[in-house]
Amino acid sequence: AQKITQTQPGMFVQEKEAVTLDCTYDTSDQSYGLFWYKQPSSGEMIFLIYQGSYDEQNATEGRYSLNFQKARKSANLVISASQLGDSAMYFCAMRGLDSNYQLIWGAGTKLIIKP
Amino acid sequence: KAGVTQTPRYLIKTRGQQVTLSCSPISGHRSVSWYQQTPGQGLQFLFEYFSETQRNKGNFPGRFSGRQFSNSRSEMNVSTLELGDSALYLCASSQRDSTNEKLFFGSGTQLSVL
């Protein structure tokens, strides 16, 4: 069965610093997708970045990048130059054939950016 | 292009009542899935509909049901509400099922059961 582990329940980061949010996963699928979503206090899930299991390059989307280490089953999110508006819950998720394409979620990391 | 719309935004019900939540997906999206989010259990998959057919169902009791209409709009129903059903219910839409298809979420319906 697929599983996502986020080991950091919460993090405090100084504004303008870079931050890395950890995510490890477990799956028997050869083809799968890894996602990061941001959930501000308003509740909406906002898509940040996607990495496919066969993608050779790490995904990047603006200030977000995904440090994908397939052999270690790791998909860490890196936010460069953090901003106050980055304060939110961050969820790592995965989907693949093993889960009938439903998203399997990690427990999330609460990120607080300090001014 | 309008995003995923969920109504109502907030609901307060009492134990034993039933509730219906609504979700309008992004135009052109045929897949709608529902998730329950609670502080204790995190995000859990409820069910997924594609072209009016339920394709996947999570591990929830039969009190939780849903349907999808021909215009892809979906409703979720919970009967005989229990205190533990208090949660944020999130709806997501996508064009199809595949590993690289990202889901677009609505703002959710916050259900409180008293």
Side-chain angles (χ1 to χ4, degrees):
Chain A
Q2 296 182 327
K3 185 180 178 182
I4 294 279
T5 301
Q6 292 180 256
T7 57
Q8 305 153 310
M11 289 184 71
F12 286 91
V13 173
Q14 201 69 38
E15 188 181 9
K16 297 181 185 177
E17 288 184 350
V19 57
T20 297
L21 305 181
D22 295 339
C23 172
T24 57
Y25 61 92
D26 191 20
T27 182
S28 57
D29 278 336
Q30 296 301 309
S31 177
Y32 51 88
L34 295 157
F35 301 80
W36 277 92
Y37 281 86
K38 171 185 177 181
Q39 187 178 41
S41 55
S42 60
E44 183 180 359
M45 282 290 183
I46 301 168
F47 167 79
L48 295 178
I49 198 166
Y50 162 82
Q51 180 83 41
S53 58
Y54 290 118
D55 294 340
E56 294 186 351
Q57 290 193 321
N58 287 340
T60 60
E61 292 274 356
R63 292 187 300 114
Y64 305 105
S65 61
L66 201 152
N67 184 2
F68 181 47
Q69 298 186 44
K70 192 171 181 177
R72 296 180 61 185
K73 294 190 173 178
S74 163
N76 297 341
L77 176 71
V78 180
I79 306 174
S80 63
S82 57
Q83 303 170 355
L84 296 179
D86 293 334
S87 294
M89 284 291 291
Y90 288 80
F91 292 93
C92 179
M94 173 171 62
R95 70 188 309 193
L97 181 60
D98 197 24
S99 64
N100 273 334
Y101 301 111
Q102 61 176 276
L103 273 175
I104 306 299
W105 298 85
T109 296
K110 187 174 178 65
L111 177 63
I112 297 175
I113 306 299
K114 300 182 291 183
Chain B
K1 206 175 195 181
V4 179
T5 304
Q6 288 188 248
T7 56
R9 186 72 177 91
Y10 300 96
L11 265 178
I12 299 175
K13 293 284 187 179
T14 57
R15 278 182 301 174
Q17 286 187 311
Q18 73 146 19
V19 66
T20 299
L21 312 182
S22 179
C23 172
S24 293
I26 291 172
S27 177
H29 285 191
R30 297 164 66 189
S31 172
V32 174
S33 51
W34 290 87
Y35 292 84
Q36 182 198 63
Q37 186 178 23
T38 59
Q41 299 296 318
L43 281 147
Q44 293 185 289
F45 170 75
L46 279 156
F47 28 65
E48 186 226 348
Y49 289 87
F50 189 90
S51 294
E52 302 179 66
T53 302
Q54 187 182 88
R55 301 218 297 192
N56 281 315
K57 190 176 193 305
N59 193 22
F60 278 81
R63 300 185 297 107
F64 292 82
S65 63
R67 59 178 174 169
Q68 187 180 32
F69 302 96
S70 58
N71 62 357
S72 293
R73 189 178 72 86
S74 177
E75 287 183 346
M76 187 192 119
N77 186 76
V78 188
S79 62
T80 321
L81 283 165
E82 301 178 358
L83 296 179
D85 297 333
S86 294
L88 177 67
Y89 290 88
L90 290 163
C91 165
S93 78
S94 65
Q95 289 183 316
R96 61 185 184 277
D97 273 344
S98 67
T99 56
N100 64 348
E101 190 75 12
K102 66 185 180 188
L103 271 62
F104 294 86
F105 284 82
S107 296
T109 295
Q110 184 69 54
L111 172 65
S112 297
V113 182
L114 306 178

